[in-house]
Each structure stands twice: as structure tokens, then as C-alpha cells.
Amino acid sequence: MDMLNKLTNLFQQALETREPTVNLLESFVDHWKGITNYYIETTDESRPVKQTDIPWRLKQMLDILVFEEQQQQVEETGPCLEYLLQHKILETLCTLGKAQYPPGMSQQVLLFFSKVLSQVQKPLLHIINAYRPVLKLIRLCGLPNAQTEKEEALFLFSVCTRVKKDPYVLNYILEVNIEARTSRSRSSSTSDEPVAAAAGVGVSEGRAGATIPENAASPPSPSSPIPPALPGQRGTPSASASAAPGPQATSGLIHVLMHLIKSQKSRARLKALESVLLLAALPGEDSGVLLASRSPLCELLAQRLCELYSLIPSTLDPTDVLGFPLMHWRDQFPQTSEEERQSFPGSDQLTGFLCWLDYCQQLLTHAPKILSVKLAKEIHRQWLTGLLQPQLLQMSEAGILLHTALLSCSVRSIDSPALLAELVLFLLGSATHPERHADTHTDTRLTLRYKLIQHCDHLSDEISIATLRLFEELLQKPDRNIVANLVLRNLGQRGYAVPAAAGYAGEERHVADTLDESDELEEDPFFSDMYADSEFGDAEPLLTLPNRQEESRPSTQIQVAETVNSFLCLVPQEAKSSQHVQGAGYDTYVHDAHKMFKDCTALSLDWGWPDAAIDNPSPCSEFYEGHFLQVLFDRIARILEQPYDLNLQVTSVLSRLAVFPHPHLHEYLLDPYISLSPGARSLFSTLVRVIGELMQRIQHIPNFTDKLVQVRKELMGLEDETMVEHMALLRGVIVLEEFCKELAAIAFVKLPMEEQ
């Protein structure tokens, strides 16, 4: 203790003298000599470092460096920092830390390096005698079963923080210069030294045969800076370097950080995650080029995503997956108790995967474009194509259901433009030409797209529901290619409509023309009289058309009113039940439709959609609505036979499509008066055929309306569920009525605001 008190007094006296820099240096040297003398004098090699004065001396040396810098009037290296670099103190400490002598020395060295990098403001990593021991210490991190993970993570975070301040040293910290020079020495060993001499650069052997660049013009000063070369300058890798990363040591910065990210210690894991975020967010495309093409960052991030996805148990309940909340990457460090968190078998593995997916998204959002694109493509290659696609195409229904639910949950989380573009390309392909019915079954390039759409009409209702939810999630994503690929490319020329030569006189016959599509329905007496006893009776016709002789074209308001009435009146009175239950009217849908329309309009604002449909449809030999709408229309046509949950999901997807403000999509899905081309069908014409089938079937069910009201009350939770005959039909009729009201609400909210 006498020795410690004496040194403390010397330090205080140094701060009070007229020449503080000289005495500060003496004090700094004394502390360093005190450390070196310990190794000369000690005889107890098992004594832990915390029981020696080494931690205290290191702290005093750090305080002197910081104080010296604060007293500097000009930006130059102070005597103490110069001594630190000149005498390779960092190199020596690195060696002592590697030897773990005395025990625990590595923690002290890591802490000292961390504090020097974070508290000394002068740039250091461009100086050879600073960056070289930093690299050596990085290589000592990430060893299996290490007890220093917390200190390692703090040290690496300090390094990355330094790189953020001085991005030009990134290529040296990543050892890109070393890698490039090593590669050249292997291919041209005989000419290596002359080229280096001509460039004014010498080489000295580093770890594992790697070469370290040094200033070779005269004996170098230990504080000589490395030229701040960037990609494309002074012989460093150019921005157009090959995208394939060169040979990478598994002890490099990126590998060590990825090792610590898997640590069981949450503080070490968090610091490692933050460190990678700092690197990925470095400004400038040059940094992005280095990380994308000269480091294994993207490959390792995607690999980790695959690892976490593979850990999700196959016994996970798809219902739990679909109901799982959105995750932020910091949610893997919960602040709430385990009892308050959603928990079920496999929830921890699912949380780990979704948190990592969100973490990748954070990187994609803040990274330079070239790095973002590279990472998204790597995720596409490793996870989507390599791991997920075989699971979606497997034969096991249980496997298909689980992985479809996981994909749907992932789609809900993805909002990065780069990753979303890769996701859409993976799921839907890149085709832009109109579909042909024959191509749906023969075009092998659309195998996954075809399979997913077919899964919407799968024999398993659970798979159909899960896949429909997947498409509903897709339709809410800010990518114009989704709607274009699934629907709009088939409606672009309005091949579903007859040419305009028929004039407006034909518009009054549109509904009748729709009914005439089927001879079977035309000849059915129930269908022709299905509105005879409707609630409107003789006082209010189904549709009130304007006088075409008085005005050449009805106003938008009249058109919308006709459309709304058409959908509201489509289901006949005897098949309605909402008027018998309070709170089940049409108005309840208007608020939801307005919000959905507002969201879709904001989503598609920059997609360059036209304001109005093209004037004349292009004639085509056979209109095909496309595979997606074909399956949806087929599903709607079977609404009276399908399970309740499946019907809800089908109508939900169609409502999502109908709310988009594209004129062709609006016309095809919401215009009851459109003159369809031969063989074409629309949403309204499909619903009309369903109504025709309904009217035939209800004639054979006694007390149909009473049973319908009973089932509606049960669905609303107003009464206990009972066993009623024709349950699927009754529930299907209720969904049909509600769907028509929803379509009417959508048509209403799409009316221009000044005319509402």
C-alpha cells in the first residue's frame, strides 16, 4: 500500500507542476514499468490479476492519456500517447492477455483496449502500432468456451464505434489489404517485393503468414499513419471488385461478432448485435462495397437466419404461428417476466427466428444500397430457395400447413424494400405478360406460384385458409408487382369487356345479360322470380337507371348509388337475416372500408396507376382472368358448401383486391353493369349464379329464415350453439349477405369525397 500511495502522490504532483507534460510522461512510464516489474519480480504465477496492482496501473495510464489529450492545445500526438505507440505497449499487453498471465489478464487487456478506443478522441486505427495489436486482439476473441465474452463484446463495440467515426479504416480492420496482398503474393511471389518497393510500401510477416502493410520509406515511426486508402484508391480493392468474398479467416472481426451473437450471455449478445449494426450503417457506398463483396457478413447473416428457422419444431401449432405478434429484434432481451409473455411449445424458437428476421431488416434499412441488395439476395438464396421452398412443395399436409403459416408470419414482418422485392420474386416470379390458361399448368418457371395458388383450393381446408392468409398479407405490402403479377396483368387491355360500339343502350341489359350466361338459370322459375317478394317490392326496383335520353352518361354519384344498391339488393329478402339482429347493418362496414381504402390509396400512391380505364377494350379470342382470380371465383362459387372460416378468408382476400384504386380492377370487381365478353365472368356475375343456386336450394328447407336467424345469433355469440341441419349452407348464406354489404360499402367509400 505504501508503494501505491507514493505513486498516487507522484501523479497528483505531476498535475500541479509547471511542466505537466514532462511529469505526466514520467508518471505514465513509472506505471508501465511497475507493470513490467511485476513479471520480473513475482514468483506466484497463480495469483489472480485482480489481486495485483496491474488493474489500477492500467487505469492510471488511461487517465493520464485522457488528461493529456484534454490539455493539448493543438491536434498532435502527446508524449504519453507517443510513448505508448513507440514502445509497442499495446502489442505487449496483447501478448500478456493471450498468455493469461497472471490469470484474468485477458479481461484487463480487453477493458484497457476498449477504454483507450472509446475515451481517447485522437484517431488511432490508422496508426500501425495501434491497429496491428487491435487486429491481434480481435483474433484472440471468439474462442470456444471463453470466459471473456462480455469484455470481448465491449472491445469489439469500441472498435466498431471507432470505425464509424473514421470509416476509411474499415478495409484495414476487415484485413482486406492483408487478404488482397496475400492473394497477390501467392500468384506472383517472385515479383512481390519489387512491386511493394515501387509503391513505397514494405511488408512484415503477420499472423498465419498474412502480410501487414507498413510505411517503408526510411525506418517507420510507430505512430506513422497508414494511408487512408478507400476502395478504388492506392491499390486497395476497387468498388467493382468481385461480389464473391475472398478467403476469410474465421477469427476475423465479422466471424468473431457472429460468434458472440450466439452467446448465452445477453449483454455480450446485445453488444455484438449493436456492433454489426454500426458496421452495416457506415455511410458511403465504399463501405457498402467492402462489407458486401470483401467480407462474409451477408453470408453469415443469412446462414444464421436459416439456423434459427431450422430450430423451429415441426410440432408447432400453425394457429399459434398465425396469431403470433410482430417482433422487434430487441424483444429477445425481454423486459417483462416469462409469465407475461406469450408462451407455448416452440414459442422461444419462433421468437428467436422472428427477432433475427427483424434484425436483418434493420440492417437492410440502414445499410448502403449495395450491401442491402447483397444481403437480400443472400437471404433469398439460402433461406427462401434453399430451405423454405422444399418445405412448401413437400407432400406432407402437416408440413405444408406449418411452413405456410411461418411464411405468412414472416411476410407480415417484412417491410424492407430490398428484401420485399426478393420475396415477391421468389413467390410470384417476374412474368409481366398476361396469363394464358394453358400456361398455368405447363410453365415450369412458375412452379411455386402455381402451387401456392393451387393451395388456395386445396383439399385440406386448413391449408387453403393458411395460403389465403398468406396472399392477404402479400396484398398489404408496398410493392406494386404483387397486384400486377396476380391480377392486373390480365386486366390491362380490358379483355373482359365488350367493345364500346354497343353504346349505352346495352348497359341497361348488363344485369340481364349476366343472368343469361347460364341456360339452366334462365329456365329456372325460382331464379326468374327471386326478387318478387323482396323487401323493396314494387315500390323500389332493384336498380334505378337514369334516363339515357336525357343525359348521355350518368354522374359518378348515380353510378356509385346503382352499384351500392345492386350489391345490397343482390341477396333476396328470404335469404337475409341481418335485419333481425341489432348492429348487423350495412353501415357497420363503411367505417372499416374507409380505413382500408385510405390505406390502399396511400400504399399505391407512387405506383403510377391511371385515373381512368382505357376507352376501348382490346378484343381477344378468349379472356382469362388469371390463375389467382380463377381460384378465388371458384371458391366464391362454392360459398354455400364450404366451411365458415374458409368463406371468411376468401371474401377477405376479394375485399382487399376490390378496395385497390385501379380503374380496371374496380370495374371488373365492383361494376355490376359491365358488358362481359363471351366466356368471361366477373365477381358480380359469379355472385348472381350463387344466388340462383341458393334460391333453388332454400325451397326444400322448411323454416329457412328462422334457422338462418338462429345461426346468425349463434355466430354473434348471442345464443348458445345448437345442432341445426344444413349448417354449412346457412353459414354460407350469412357470409354471402355480409360479403355483399362489404362490397357495397367499398363501392361507396371509393366515391370521390366531394360527391359523397
Side-chain angles (χ1 to χ4, degrees):
M1 291 300 297
D2 293 337
M3 182 65 178
L4 292 178
N5 292 332
K6 180 179 179 181
L7 291 171
T8 302
N9 292 332
L10 288 173
F11 179 71
Q12 292 175 346
Q13 293 173 7
L15 299 179
E16 298 172 356
T17 57
R18 289 186 176 183
E19 299 178 343
T21 56
V22 175
N23 290 321
L24 279 177
L25 178 59
E26 290 179 359
S27 179
F28 186 84
V29 172
D30 285 343
H31 283 300
W32 176 240
K33 287 183 177 180
I35 293 175
T36 57
N37 287 337
Y38 172 85
Y39 290 92
I40 298 173
E41 299 171 357
T42 187
T43 57
D44 185 4
E45 297 183 358
S46 62
R47 186 182 183 186
V49 70
K50 289 185 177 181
Q51 295 181 13
T52 71
D53 65 349
I54 292 177
W56 177 81
R57 291 186 180 280
L58 288 174
K59 185 179 184 305
Q60 298 304 310
M61 291 172 64
L62 174 68
D63 291 342
I64 292 173
L65 290 173
V66 173
F67 181 80
E68 178 188 66
E69 185 177 53
Q70 292 173 348
Q71 301 304 309
Q72 291 290 115
Q73 300 297 323
V74 293
E75 295 184 3
E76 60 181 17
T77 303
C80 296
L81 182 58
E82 182 70 28
Y83 183 90
L84 177 87
L85 298 171
Q86 180 75 34
H87 291 79
K88 299 184 179 181
I89 291 177
L90 296 178
E91 290 263 12
T92 304
L93 286 174
C94 188
T95 302
L96 295 175
K98 180 180 179 180
Q100 274 285 42
Y101 176 58
M105 187 61 183
S106 59
Q107 284 97 327
Q108 299 301 317
V109 172
L110 287 165
L111 288 173
F112 182 76
F113 272 64
S114 301
K115 292 177 180 179
V116 167
L117 291 173
S118 60
Q119 296 184 29
V120 175
Q121 301 303 310
K122 179 179 176 58
L124 294 174
L125 292 181
H126 69 300
I127 301 174
I128 292 174
N129 282 355
Y131 107 90
R132 184 162 49 191
V134 166
L135 287 184
K136 289 183 178 180
L137 193 57
I138 289 174
R139 298 187 192 113
L140 296 177
C141 296
L143 299 177
N145 303 318
Q147 301 300 312
T148 57
E149 288 184 341
K150 184 176 70 174
E151 292 81 7
E152 290 175 12
L154 182 61
F155 162 63
L156 295 176
F157 181 77
S158 300
V159 172
C160 294
T161 303
R162 268 293 182 180
V163 173
K164 182 181 179 181
K165 292 181 180 179
D166 307 308
Y168 63 87
V169 302
L170 176 64
N171 51 351
Y172 298 108
I173 295 301
L174 294 179
E175 303 183 69
V176 171
N177 256 17
I178 298 174
E179 174 192 318
R181 294 176 184 275
T182 303
S183 177
R184 286 198 297 271
S185 68
R186 289 173 179 171
S187 61
S188 181
S189 58
T190 58
S191 60
D192 196 27
E193 294 180 3
V195 172
V201 177
V203 295
S204 64
E205 289 299 314
R207 183 177 182 267
T211 56
I212 306 293
E214 290 186 357
N215 192 340
S218 75
S221 166
S223 59
S224 299
I226 302 170
L230 291 173
Q233 300 177 357
R234 303 186 187 182
T236 58
S238 66
S240 60
S242 171
Q248 291 288 332
T250 56
S251 58
L253 175 63
I254 301 300
H255 280 281
V256 173
L257 286 172
M258 293 302 298
H259 172 81
L260 291 175
I261 281 173
K262 302 176 185 179
S263 171
Q264 296 300 313
K265 298 178 180 178
S266 60
R267 293 181 63 183
R269 193 164 71 250
L270 177 60
K271 280 299 178 186
L273 289 166
E274 291 175 340
S275 298
V276 175
L277 277 175
L278 286 175
L279 291 179
L282 290 175
E285 287 298 312
D286 290 333
S287 300
V289 169
L290 284 173
L291 290 168
S293 61
R294 306 299 291 176
S295 85
L297 177 62
C298 296
E299 290 81 358
L300 293 177
L301 289 169
Q303 180 181 323
R304 181 59 177 165
L305 186 70
C306 293
E307 291 172 357
L308 292 171
Y309 187 84
S310 299
L311 291 176
I312 298 175
S314 59
T315 56
L316 194 63
D317 188 347
T319 305
D320 291 332
V321 175
L322 292 171
F324 207 70
L326 289 173
M327 303 298 295
H328 187 273
W329 69 272
R330 289 184 182 272
D331 291 339
Q332 59 186 300
F333 309 101
Q335 303 296 321
T336 57
S337 63
E338 187 173 349
E339 292 77 12
E340 297 175 343
R341 302 196 301 270
Q342 186 172 352
S343 179
F344 50 82
S347 61
D348 290 342
Q349 292 87 341
L350 181 58
T351 297
F353 167 73
L354 292 176
C355 285
W356 188 257
L357 181 61
D358 181 75
Y359 180 73
C360 291
Q361 290 222 98
Q362 295 297 318
L363 291 174
L364 288 162
T365 301
H366 297 96
K369 183 177 180 180
I370 188 170
L371 179 60
S372 180
V373 170
K374 173 66 182 300
L375 177 56
K377 289 184 179 298
E378 197 61 36
I379 291 175
H380 183 165
R381 183 181 69 84
Q382 290 195 41
W383 175 49
L384 294 176
T385 302
L387 185 58
L388 185 57
Q389 180 168 317
Q391 302 297 336
L392 296 173
L393 298 177
Q394 65 178 300
M395 300 302 295
S396 167
E397 290 188 359
I400 293 174
L401 180 58
L402 174 60
H403 290 281
T404 301
L406 288 170
L407 176 57
S408 182
C409 189
S410 302
V411 169
R412 187 168 72 247
S413 304
I414 292 174
D415 53 19
S416 162
L419 185 54
L420 182 59
E422 294 297 324
L423 176 70
V424 173
L425 180 64
F426 165 71
L427 293 175
L428 305 180
S430 58
T432 58
H433 58 274
E435 295 177 74
R436 295 188 304 170
H437 194 275
D439 292 343
T440 303
H441 303 281
T442 60
D443 197 340
T444 57
R445 292 173 298 172
L446 305 180
T447 299
L448 181 59
R449 179 185 188 274
Y450 170 75
K451 285 287 188 181
L452 287 175
I453 294 177
Q454 279 299 104
H455 286 173
C456 295
D457 201 11
H458 200 277
L459 291 175
S460 167
D461 294 331
E462 290 80 6
I463 290 178
S464 295
I465 292 172
T467 311
L468 286 165
R469 284 179 176 169
L470 168 63
F471 281 105
E472 186 176 14
E473 292 291 349
L474 268 180
L475 290 171
Q476 299 177 58
K477 293 290 138 182
D479 191 320
R480 62 176 298 175
N481 294 323
I482 298 171
V483 184
N485 183 288
L486 291 173
V487 180
L488 290 181
R489 60 174 166 150
N490 304 305
L491 309 180
Q493 300 302 316
R494 295 182 64 212
Y496 50 83
V498 298
Y504 295 120
E507 293 185 10
E508 298 181 10
R509 299 192 301 272
H510 289 175
V511 176
D513 291 341
T514 302
L515 302 182
D516 289 342
E517 288 179 0
S518 171
D519 293 338
E520 178 184 348
L521 294 181
E522 182 181 284
E523 295 170 0
D524 183 71
F526 299 111
F527 184 78
S528 59
D529 297 332
M530 68 180 187
Y531 295 112
D533 298 324
S534 70
E535 60 180 323
F536 298 96
D538 296 333
E540 185 175 354
L542 177 63
L543 298 171
T544 304
L545 295 176
N547 188 336
R548 304 299 184 184
Q549 295 179 350
E550 295 181 1
E551 52 180 325
S552 60
R553 184 79 174 171
S555 69
T556 303
Q557 191 170 10
I558 294 176
Q559 287 180 312
V560 173
E562 292 174 347
T563 299
V564 171
N565 286 335
S566 297
F567 283 108
L568 288 178
C569 302
L570 187 58
V571 178
Q573 181 67 18
E574 54 266 40
K576 289 184 176 180
S577 56
S578 58
Q579 68 270 26
H580 300 286
V581 180
Q582 186 176 4
Y586 152 76
D587 294 342
T588 60
Y589 286 98
V590 174
H591 179 269
D592 293 339
H594 180 74
K595 181 180 184 304
M596 191 161 56
F597 177 62
K598 182 179 179 181
D599 293 342
C600 283
T601 301
L603 198 67
S604 59
L605 195 61
D606 300 325
W607 291 357
W609 282 353
D611 295 327
I614 59 175
D615 292 335
N616 294 313
S618 298
C620 58
S621 57
E622 181 182 356
F623 170 73
Y624 178 50
E625 64 266 30
H627 193 197
F628 187 58
L629 282 181
Q630 175 193 354
V631 169
L632 292 179
F633 285 177
D634 288 346
R635 278 295 189 186
I636 280 293
R638 301 197 300 272
I639 194 172
L640 303 178
E641 307 163 3
Q642 297 171 156
Y644 178 70
D645 291 337
L646 178 55
N647 283 334
L648 289 179
Q649 194 59 55
V650 173
T651 56
S652 181
V653 174
L654 280 168
S655 298
R656 176 67 58 177
L657 284 173
V659 83
F660 277 106
H662 192 284
H664 296 169
L665 195 56
H666 175 89
E667 178 184 47
Y668 187 58
L669 296 181
L670 292 178
D671 189 351
Y673 304 113
I674 182 175
S675 295
L676 294 172
S677 60
R681 60 175 175 171
S682 67
L683 177 57
F684 189 80
S685 72
T686 304
L687 292 173
V688 167
R689 293 176 63 84
V690 173
I691 295 297
E693 178 187 350
L694 171 64
M695 295 309 296
Q696 295 181 49
R697 296 179 63 175
I698 66 176
Q699 303 300 321
H700 306 287
I701 302 177
N703 302 319
F704 179 79
T705 303
D706 293 338
K707 293 179 179 178
L708 198 62
V709 174
Q710 174 68 24
V711 171
R712 177 179 282 273
K713 290 181 179 179
E714 292 175 4
L715 290 174
M716 296 178 66
L718 301 177
E719 294 185 6
D720 295 335
E721 189 171 332
T722 59
M723 296 300 295
V724 181
E725 290 184 322
H726 311 288
M727 182 64 77
L729 173 64
L730 294 169
R731 288 183 171 182
V733 173
I734 292 172
V735 174
L736 178 62
E737 180 186 357
E738 297 304 306
F739 183 46
C740 289
K741 291 192 295 186
E742 186 174 17
L743 292 175
I746 292 172
F748 173 75
V749 299
K750 293 176 81 172
L751 175 69
M753 291 301 296
E754 63 272 11
E755 299 191 36
Q756 287 187 14

